[in-house]
Amino acid sequence: MIRNPFHGILRVKDKIEVRNPASGERVAELDVATAEDVVAAVTRARKAQLLWKEKDFKERAGLFYRFRDLLLDHQEKIADIVTAETGKPRAEVYGAELFYLCDAIGFWAKSSQRFLKPEKIRPHLLKTKKVFSTYNPIGVVGIISPWNFPLVLTLGDAIPALMAGNAVIIKPSELTPLSALFGAELAVQAGLPENLLQVVVGGSTTAEMLIDHADMISFTGSVETGQKVMARAAQRLIPVSLELGGKDPMIVLKDADLKRAANACVCGALMNSGQVCTSIERVYVEEPAYDDFVKRVVDKVKSLRQGSSQDEVELGSMSSLEQLERVECQVEKAVNGGARILAGGRRKPNSKGFYYEPTVMVDVNHDMEIMREETFGPVIPIMKVTDREEALRLANDCRYGLDSSIFTRDSKAGWKMAERIEAGSVCINDCMVNFIIPEVPMGGIKQSGIGRRHGAEGIRKYCRQKTVVIDRLGLESEFTWFPMSKRKTEFLRKGLGLLFRSGWRDRLRTLKREHHASEIVAIGRKFSKD
Ligand code: NAD
């Protein structure tokens, strides 16, 4: 009897309503994918993948270049869709979302074959074997995404998975499903086979169904949901990669270029209204630089413009009321604990949307949630520290470890601190920029996640790795194969000493280097008498 996989799961068509967070306007209403829909999507994807995996990298790349052209042809429409569902400024759609996507397409189109070609491995001992490590597509990859970058974290993650020969099913955030849906439509127009890249719309239940049927899950979202995803995937022992939250520290040493540091801080903390996983979320400044740095940051923050995505603004609205309330709550608790607000600190007055003013806070400490838990909002809490050791200790006093930044003119000190900071990435005299260097692995340590996007690992994670060993000599039998004998056993016993006793091995290595063949023979004779 086949177990009914739909038992107890959504049967009735639920609806998702997409609203513009900057205006409250209803943008769309979509059907939620039921369990049946997800299973059907996976079945279709499996079929499409069988043909797709046979295509060579060049052919796949050609389709993606065409897809990139279509994205560029539709820039305006894409900006309309992304801004309508996120409330972010238009400039960020071009400068962050579309820039990333277009660059990622070029990068993976050019590099996938290099990362996935069979790797020749030279065994250190068994020289009579040829060895390769190969990468084969895993099948159907499920991508579960958050709402803060609805193109980057859906289609952006799908590109390497598809280039590796997989089919992909994206479950975008229920708050922002439209960008991925439109992107998938363009991908088909570009010539990608039907059903190779699909989007299923829904919330946690739809995502759970995907985990229950896909062959691998690439998840980006909060730590708490990431833990659930991993637990569910463990039931089927399918691989997961988890790109989770962060509380990224910025350290400013007293010798830093304070102008650059302050500019980096304001942009790194407030881009996309602070709703970036690699946002600067807390700042530690050495005492002698503190007053100057704070003043520069406050002046800059007060000059920022906030408003509708159509206007010339640096900040748009936040993406959801829930997120705005979380920020308000953290700020309020910090103020109750003694923090002082130097800019912002409240909802934008007289505005319909979910606007929170860009905020600078001082007199904060590590008893406050605002210094320990992810804020994901436009808030810059700044703390004075006596020296770099205190800065490092506080930066590492956190459950997250995603990104980080250090500002100093002393490159040695910067490097030493970078080695000791507990994070997946460190930028010295810069911030966040590692995310747009696709050659380098990006991901978190501690509770910020498992696995990497970008670099070789960013595509190999979508593959099954297979080892291929080929015999070179073609002998009738190998020494260690059956039958065994006393002589063989004795030889093996003595062989261990020759191979692994430190004295013998060092002596042999020296002799080999000096090509003293006769001495090697003499040692061999000595060994046989032992
Ligand atoms: P979230 O964890 O609430 O949701 C993420 C996705 O998981 C959504 O699509 C949601 O529908 C789905 N989901 C919800 N419950 C689920 C369940 N039980 N099983 C499977 N899927 C489920 O996160 P969010 O609020 O959408 O996004 C904000 C979070 O994402 C922040 O913590 C942020 O730091 C993180 N983030 C991380 C990165 C990174 O690269 N590390 C990038 C962007 C965002």
Side-chain angles (χ1 to χ4, degrees), residues 187-337:
V188 173
Q189 276 180 39
L192 249 78
E194 289 273 344
N195 302 320
L196 188 72
L197 172 63
Q198 299 176 69
V199 177
V200 290
V201 173
S204 57
T205 312
T206 308
E208 284 169 1
M209 283 297 97
L210 191 55
I211 301 170
D212 289 351
H213 293 90
D215 301 315
M216 188 253 170
I217 293 293
S218 170
F219 173 82
T220 306
S222 61
V223 172
E224 293 64 30
T225 312
Q227 286 168 330
K228 289 183 197 160
V229 168
M230 194 165 179
R232 193 149 186 133
Q235 301 302 309
R236 297 176 54 233
L237 278 176
I238 56 164
V240 287
S241 72
L242 304 173
E243 300 283 348
L244 309 178
K247 185 75 191 170
D248 299 348
M250 172 187 195
I251 296 177
V252 183
L253 298 188
K254 59 186 176 216
D255 69 342
D257 173 348
L258 294 187
K259 214 170 173 183
R260 181 171 173 81
N263 284 333
C265 174
V266 172
C267 188
L270 302 181
M271 187 190 173
N272 200 23
S273 293
Q275 303 167 118
V276 184
C277 55
T278 54
S279 282
I280 292 170
E281 288 236 350
R282 52 201 169 114
V283 187
Y284 304 98
V285 190
E286 268 191 311
E287 205 167 348
Y290 178 81
D291 289 340
D292 192 357
F293 177 81
V294 170
K295 182 176 179 328
R296 285 172 191 275
V297 170
V298 171
D299 287 350
K300 183 103 193 161
V301 167
K302 285 187 171 164
S303 74
L304 299 177
R305 296 156 300 176
Q306 187 175 35
S308 145
S309 58
Q310 304 299 330
D311 301 336
E312 202 176 276
V313 290
E314 284 78 32
L315 277 85
S317 76
M318 300 198 60
S319 290
S320 73
L321 180 61
E322 189 192 347
Q323 196 52 42
L324 181 132
E325 285 173 348
R326 188 177 303 170
V327 173
E328 268 182 338
C329 176
Q330 277 194 13
V331 171
E332 197 184 308
K333 280 191 199 162
V335 169
N336 291 339

Side-chain angles (χ1 to χ4, degrees), residues 453-466:
R453 53 162 62 91
H454 304 159
E457 282 182 58
I459 188 161
R460 289 179 182 167
K461 72 179 179 185
Y462 295 124
C463 295
R464 292 198 171 107
Q465 199 170 0
K466 189 187 288 177

Side-chain angles (χ1 to χ4, degrees), residues 340-514:
R340 263 187 315 131
I341 288 177
L342 301 185
R346 55 176 187 175
R347 287 187 198 205
K348 190 175 179 226
N350 308 320
S351 61
K352 257 206 268 165
F354 305 139
Y355 290 95
Y356 194 83
E357 287 187 346
T359 299
V360 183
M361 303 181 86
V362 292
D363 297 345
V364 287
N365 62 54
H366 266 228
D367 293 332
M368 296 173 179
E369 215 175 293
I370 202 114
M371 293 302 276
R372 301 174 71 92
E373 286 306 319
E374 188 174 46
T375 306
F376 227 54
V379 181
I380 311 177
I382 309 177
M383 193 170 166
K384 191 191 293 181
V385 291
T386 48
D387 55 25
R388 60 187 63 171
E389 283 306 313
E390 188 185 10
L392 256 181
R393 182 178 59 73
L394 291 169
N396 290 341
D397 175 28
C398 185
R399 68 178 174 131
Y400 300 99
L402 191 56
D403 215 337
S404 56
S405 53
I406 298 166
F407 282 75
T408 173
R409 284 194 170 93
D410 178 345
S411 49
K412 265 194 192 156
W415 181 261
K416 275 193 179 159
M417 289 184 79
E419 282 182 326
R420 291 173 59 199
I421 207 157
E422 292 168 5
S425 307
V426 194
C427 296
I428 299 177
N429 296 325
D430 218 319
C431 64
M432 289 170 143
V433 68
N434 51 300
F435 198 95
I436 53 165
I437 307 175
E439 289 80 0
V440 292
M442 191 273 156
I445 60 169
K446 295 165 136 181
Q447 292 196 7
S448 286
I450 293 173
R452 293 290 180 264
R453 53 162 62 91
H454 304 159
E457 282 182 58
I459 188 161
R460 289 179 182 167
K461 72 179 179 185
Y462 295 124
C463 295
R464 292 198 171 107
Q465 199 170 0
K466 189 187 288 177
T467 300
V468 180
V469 180
I470 307 167
D471 176 55
R472 286 172 187 275
L473 300 183
L475 301 175
E476 195 177 299
S477 179
E478 296 278 332
F479 180 73
T480 50
W481 290 0
F482 296 158
M484 283 297 152
S485 67
K486 274 193 174 170
R487 224 176 124 234
K488 257 195 194 179
T489 310
E490 186 56 9
F491 189 87
L492 289 171
R493 186 185 69 77
K494 286 184 174 171
L496 284 176
L498 180 62
L499 282 173
F500 301 118
R501 200 184 300 282
S502 20
W504 280 111
R505 294 181 74 205
D506 292 348
R507 182 83 182 122
L508 265 178
R509 231 179 265 138
T510 319
L511 287 170
K512 219 169 145 192
R513 219 179 302 127
E514 294 166 2

